[in-house]
Amino acid sequence: MTSKPFAGWDKPDLDLSGADWQSSSRGAGDVQIAFVEGFIAMRNSERPESPSLIFAPDEWRKFVLGARGGEFDLT
């Protein structure tokens, strides 16, 4: 089955099979990241076979700054 990219999706189809996935330094949380071909991939560490989110460096910076500022705090 071949999947079609989402409209407006301008990310490359990265080969993540050999990616060096890293967890947070505190070991907390359920996500891992990997730096691949100039992009940042993020996946659910409990379901590594599920699709990964792909960020361009500028998008990653905005995401991290937003997370640090509480933008995604749901509590």
Side-chain angles (χ1 to χ4, degrees), residues 6-75:
F6 295 108
W9 183 257
D10 58 354
K11 304 297 190 304
D13 186 18
L14 300 175
D15 179 6
L16 302 176
S17 61
D20 181 21
W21 293 100
Q22 302 171 32
S23 296
S24 72
S25 60
R26 297 180 187 165
D30 296 327
V31 298
Q32 296 176 314
I33 62 167
F35 300 92
V36 181
E37 299 179 31
F39 290 87
I40 298 90
M42 184 169 68
R43 72 178 183 183
N44 180 338
S45 63
E46 294 181 5
R47 295 188 60 201
E49 72 284 355
S50 63
S52 297
L53 298 174
I54 307 297
F55 295 88
D58 61 321
E59 294 170 324
W60 181 251
R61 182 178 186 283
K62 290 174 186 174
F63 172 75
V64 170
L65 290 174
R68 287 180 181 163
E71 184 176 340
F72 310 112
D73 188 0
L74 301 176
T75 58

